[in-house]
Amino acid sequence: MKTSLTAALLCASSAAFPVPCHADQDAGRLLNGVYHCEVYALGMFIHLGDIAIEGDSYRGPYRFGPPPEPHKYELSPEGEITWLGPLGGFTSGGNSIDVTQVTSNTEKAAAFDIIMREASGNYSAATCDRR
């Protein structure tokens, strides 16, 4: 795949300023697939739902049945995801997304972390891995 000059420069400078490198992936896109999201709490992993990514759209999170309608997302060169629609329980009941950061975006391993601010003001983190 082609790599952009910007992506190459970001990867080259990552020793001084660590940022995810996406040289093998189209700029501004996550790898297509279903991402399994879970949080570690009370000594165990709790499944929060799956998010399906296709192109510049996502569906979910969902646990059972067909995924909900698609919404768009944006991926910054720094690896931050901006969800342009609802994100299930992450954005309902007074909860909001503080940041979503891509931790890996390669064929071998694709994942992102969602940091949610709960209605109580507390924060929780979920990890979503492509299955």
Side-chain angles (χ1 to χ4, degrees), residues 27-53:
R29 300 282 186 274
L30 294 167
L31 286 171
N32 289 341
V34 176
Y35 291 74
H36 180 83
C37 300
E38 56 189 20
V39 63
Y40 187 78
L42 304 172
M44 64 182 162
F45 289 98
I46 301 169
H47 180 220
L48 300 175
D50 295 329
I51 298 175
I53 301 290

Side-chain angles (χ1 to χ4, degrees), residues 3 8 21 27 36-37 56 61 65 68-69 71 73 77-78 84 87 89-90 93 105 111 114 116 118 124 126:
T3 59
C21 293
H36 180 83
C37 300
D56 64 350
E69 66 181 77
H71 298 281
Y73 72 90
E78 295 80 25
L84 302 177
L87 199 61
F90 292 107
N105 198 27
I114 299 173
M116 176 181 70
E118 300 170 5
S124 61

